[in-house]
Structure formats: C-alpha cells, structure tokens
Amino acid sequence: MLDTVLRCVATLVVFLVLPLVIGQTEHKVMAHMQGRLGPMYAGGFHGWAQLVADGVKFAQKEDIVPAGADRRVFQLAPAVSLLPYLFVLLAIPVGPDGFVGQAIDAGLFFVLAVMGVAVIGKLMAGWASANKFSLLGGLRTAAQLMSYELPMVLAAASVAMAAGTLSLPGILDAWQWYWLPWQIIGGFVFFTAGLAELQRPPFDMPIADSEIIFGAYTEYTGLRFAFFLLSEYAGILVVSALTAVLFLGGWHGPMADQLGWLWMLLKTFALAFVVIWLRVTYPRLREDQLMRFAWVALVPLALGQLALTGIIKVAIA
C-alpha cells in the first residue's frame, strides 16, 4: 500500500514539474528561433523568471464566467482537460524493473482511451461558453478528434501486435532494436496524430486566432485559462513519452539497468523539442487540408504498417 502511494506521489510531482519545464523550454526555443528578445531577459540569466511572471499574471487575473454560459460545465472543463493526462502518466513505464506508477495489463488501451477524455474538456468549454467562436472551436475539435483517433490507434496496434501484449512494460520487455526500421512509419503516424489531438501547430485549426479568436478558450481568463495551457504541455509530455515507449524503445539504451530512466527522459524531451520546432517552422493547415491529411495520408500509412507487422510476425514465426 505504501509503495503504491509513493508511486502516485512521485507521478504527481513529475506531472506538476515536467509540463512546466516543457512550457519554459518552448519560451526559450521560440525566442532563439524567432529572435524574440523579451523572454530572454526576464529575471536576468537567460530569462529564468519568465515562467514565474506568467504564473503571477494568470493568478492575479479575475476569474470571469459569461452571463449566458452553463456555469457548472464551464468551470469543470479545464479540470476535465487536464486531469486525464495525470492518469495516463501513472501507466507509462519510466525505467526497468517495474519503474512505473501502476502496471496495467491492457495499459495501451487504457492510455489511448483516457487521452480521448482530455479532448472532451475542450468540447465542454466550447459548448458551455455561450459564444459562437467557442462553439466553432469545439466543433472543430470534435471533427479533428474523430479524424486522427483512428490512425493513432492503428499505429499503436502495430506495436502491440509485434510485442504480443497490450501492457506497456510488456511491450518494452519484448522490444528489440531491429523494430526501429520497420516501425518508423507507425511512429510517424502516431506522433503526428498525437499532435493533431493536442491541437498543436500546424494542426491548430480549433484555436485559429486569425479566424475564431481562440476557439474553445475564448471566454476563459485567469487560472482556468492557465489550466488549459498546462493541459497542452502535459499532453506534449504524454504524447512524447508514449512515442518513446512504443517506437523508440523507452528506457532501452546503454547501461539501461542503471540509467534507463535517463534514456527515457532524453527521448521524451527530444520529441518535445520536435513539437516546439514544428510550431515555429510550419504554417497552420486549412481545415480541409487537415481532414484530408488524416484520411488520405495517415490512415493508409497506418494500415500499411499494420499489414507489414503481420507479414513480419508470420515470417519470423
């Protein structure tokens, strides 16, 4: 019992710290890539106080609920968007020998299902805000979820088929380095679909500020708005960690028995850097381009990866 409590507390600490680190990293990386001087000076050395300043700014802003909004749903939406990622982190193995918050036999199904719940928070926010721009953002979120959930699940199913288990620690126990070449397509599909579910650029049509102000978040202020931003960074952490576990070997690396957790963190933050890099590099897709990319490109690629995995499994057997 005590061991389980300690694991949950450790997961909570990680959940509270690492998304903030990713948010701070995004400030700095974008500042370097786009020549933004402001975030590099707050507090002195390398703008270390920028994150603190942002937190104070959100905390002191008034928490406003629109008069026509569904108050209860409006207030619950940020928590529904944020908390599922905490439960997902409980099931992601960080290192060998049971270094995981809670091992679940069908862990892969669990994490994919719970990640879908996080999107419901954005739908709640869009519907409850009594704002047409928020509603449009919520509808775009629903369409995007339905389009990109399928290739994401198919890509994950390819890894489960190769490993012969749905347990995330079990997948890593069965993982071999020769998987990298023939699972790379599935990794691309999974990571890209994950970015789309998080509504990260270039898949950020549901919050397109040039068209619908800020989508489902338009009416939010103060800490509730900050929770949505935190859920986005937590989602980056979760998608990067899952991609590392399923397609990059997770804690596998030199001296994995001693430093497995370090390889896992390095792979996760390398993928998080790619997420930030894509935001700076590519423009936003049009809504029709976003939908077409899912059904014309990602779904066929995921099905092809699934077929390739089946052929290789039969050949090996």
Side-chain angles (χ1 to χ4, degrees):
M1 180 64 180
L2 179 60
D3 182 63
T4 302
V5 172
L6 290 176
R7 288 172 182 267
C8 292
V9 171
T11 303
L12 179 61
V13 171
V14 169
F15 178 77
L16 293 175
V17 173
L18 292 187
L20 296 178
V21 173
I22 292 175
Q24 180 79 338
T25 302
E26 182 170 55
H27 274 99
K28 306 310 174 187
V29 170
M30 292 181 64
H32 281 294
M33 289 184 172
Q34 297 181 332
R36 298 181 179 184
L37 298 181
M40 306 305 295
Y41 285 93
F45 176 72
H46 211 66
W48 65 268
Q50 181 65 50
L51 184 64
V52 177
D54 288 341
V56 172
K57 177 187 69 174
F58 285 124
Q60 70 182 6
K61 285 188 175 181
E62 183 180 1
D63 181 20
I64 299 174
V65 179
D70 186 323
R71 177 174 291 269
R72 185 62 59 84
V73 176
F74 184 89
Q75 292 174 333
L76 286 176
V80 175
S81 182
L82 177 61
L83 288 179
Y85 293 119
L86 172 60
F87 300 127
V88 171
L89 283 177
L90 283 170
I92 297 178
V94 180
D97 302 323
F99 197 177
V100 58
Q102 180 62 53
I104 302 174
D105 290 339
L108 185 56
F109 277 165
F110 173 80
V111 298
L112 292 176
V114 175
M115 285 176 65
V117 175
V119 180
I120 294 177
K122 301 176 179 64
L123 299 179
M124 291 168 59
W127 178 83
S129 293
N131 180 302
K132 62 181 180 181
F133 298 109
S134 298
L135 180 59
L136 284 173
L139 293 175
R140 289 184 177 185
T141 298
Q144 199 157 309
L145 170 65
M146 288 188 291
S147 296
Y148 283 88
E149 188 75 15
L150 178 59
M152 191 176 191
V153 171
L154 290 174
S158 171
V159 178
M161 179 188 295
T165 179
L166 292 172
S167 167
L168 293 178
I171 288 174
L172 284 178
D173 289 339
W175 197 88
Q176 301 293 332
W177 287 104
Y178 67 81
W179 286 15
L180 280 174
W182 57 276
Q183 290 289 349
I184 192 67
I185 296 176
F188 167 77
V189 172
F190 185 90
F191 188 65
T192 304
L195 292 184
E197 287 204 6
L198 295 176
Q199 302 167 22
R200 290 285 301 184
F203 306 101
D204 58 338
M205 285 303 297
I207 58 173
D209 54 316
S210 58
E211 301 173 24
I212 51 176
I213 306 178
F214 211 63
Y217 314 146
T218 299
E219 296 290 353
Y220 282 88
T221 59
L223 286 177
R224 296 188 194 280
F225 181 75
F227 286 155
F228 277 119
L229 295 183
L230 183 60
S231 72
E232 180 178 327
Y233 293 128
I236 294 173
L237 173 64
V238 166
V239 169
S240 299
L242 282 176
T243 305
V245 166
L246 296 176
F247 300 97
L248 299 179
W251 47 260
H252 286 280
M255 295 184 295
D257 292 339
Q258 294 80 25
L259 299 175
W261 60 271
L262 178 59
W263 303 120
M264 179 64 182
L265 285 179
L266 288 175
K267 293 173 184 179
T268 299
F269 274 92
L271 291 170
F273 175 80
V274 173
V275 175
I276 298 169
W277 192 358
L278 291 173
R279 175 176 179 177
V280 178
T281 306
Y282 290 99
R284 180 183 302 126
L285 296 175
R286 294 198 317 264
E287 188 68 23
D288 62 311
Q289 292 173 328
L290 187 145
M291 295 294 109
R292 186 182 304 114
F293 182 68
W295 294 103
V296 175
L298 294 189
V299 170
L301 284 174
L303 290 172
Q305 176 67 74
L306 202 60
L308 177 62
T309 301
I311 293 172
I312 293 177
K313 286 287 287 184
V314 171
I316 293 176

